[in-house]
Amino acid sequence: MALDFSVLLRFQEALALGLWTTVKLTLICMVLGCTLGFFVGLARTAPSVILRAIASVYVEFFRGTPVLIQLFWIFFCLPLILGVELSNLASGVIALTLYMGAITSETFRASLKSIGREQLDACVALGLPRRAQILNVILPQAVLRAVPTLLSNCVSLFKESALVSAVGMADLMFVGQNISNNTARPVEVLTIVALIYFAIAFPLTRAVTIVEGRILKKLAI
């Protein structure tokens, strides 16, 4: 079969809209997931055994089950339990946020453990309330130490977002599949879609390496 990539010129706008949907979904879930992951990471280092147990169950469940199954369960099963209709966007955001929260919580937990106990003792000695300790002392250092791994997690989230096409969300993968079905050109279409994902993910992975090196130098000072 002769390849003909020119057929895709008619679908540039559709692919661009699909890419924008993918990027938008990734950014929303990245912010929500990282926020959730930070508080779950705090819970996993909390003195309370019950709080640690609940956080651990959540993390192990969402890290130990396929994201696609989580997405299907939220899209098909959760509405039956809640009696509320969930759109594919809402289902995608919930599933990817919970997944992102689980994987980033381990990153934050490791960074929180690397913060010296003497700093927390100093906060107590100064009489800082718990909220001020978290926002002004713990959070900035934890985020700085976690940045390289968080960026890697964000790249993974960007790639995992393609799964939302399975519930009919018009992301880049869903648009690509529709174009492929309509043109009967799966090789050309899916190749371009894969290259688009690669063109975004590869520079980000290289940026992670650069940022990691700079942060390590800064922490070593």
Side-chain angles (χ1 to χ4, degrees), residues 34-139:
C34 287
T35 303
L36 175 62
F38 176 73
F39 287 105
V40 173
L42 279 178
R44 296 202 73 186
T45 58
S48 171
V49 176
I50 296 176
L51 195 57
R52 291 202 309 269
I54 294 173
S56 296
V57 168
Y58 158 70
V59 171
E60 295 305 326
F61 177 81
F62 282 96
R63 290 178 64 202
T65 55
V67 183
L68 185 59
I69 293 178
Q70 298 167 18
L71 176 62
F72 278 166
W73 193 91
I74 290 170
F75 184 71
F76 293 109
C77 303
L78 194 58
L80 297 177
I81 296 173
L82 299 179
V84 177
E85 189 77 20
L86 286 178
S87 66
N88 48 21
L89 173 61
S91 300
V93 169
I94 293 171
L96 293 179
T97 295
L98 291 174
Y99 165 74
M100 187 68 172
I103 63 175
T104 56
S105 69
E106 289 297 281
T107 302
F108 281 118
R109 184 167 72 100
S111 64
L112 288 168
K113 282 191 171 184
S114 69
I115 299 175
R117 179 67 192 179
E118 67 278 359
Q119 298 190 44
L120 300 178
D121 293 338
C123 291
V124 174
L126 291 171
L128 292 177
R130 182 61 177 169
R131 181 179 179 183
Q133 293 179 32
I134 294 174
L135 293 179
N136 300 328
V137 179
I138 298 175
L139 178 60

Side-chain angles (χ1 to χ4, degrees), residues 22-41:
T22 294
V23 171
K24 182 171 62 175
L25 176 67
T26 302
L27 291 175
I28 292 172
C29 297
M30 180 180 69
V31 173
L32 295 178
C34 287
T35 303
L36 175 62
F38 176 73
F39 287 105
V40 173

Side-chain angles (χ1 to χ4, degrees), residues 180-216:
S180 172
N181 293 335
N182 291 331
T183 60
R185 291 282 182 176
V187 176
E188 292 92 331
V189 176
L190 296 180
T191 298
I192 291 298
V193 169
L195 288 175
I196 293 174
Y197 277 105
F198 178 78
I200 295 175
F202 180 72
L204 291 176
T205 57
R206 302 307 302 168
V208 169
T209 304
I210 295 172
V211 170
E212 183 176 16
R214 292 182 177 178
I215 289 178
L216 289 176

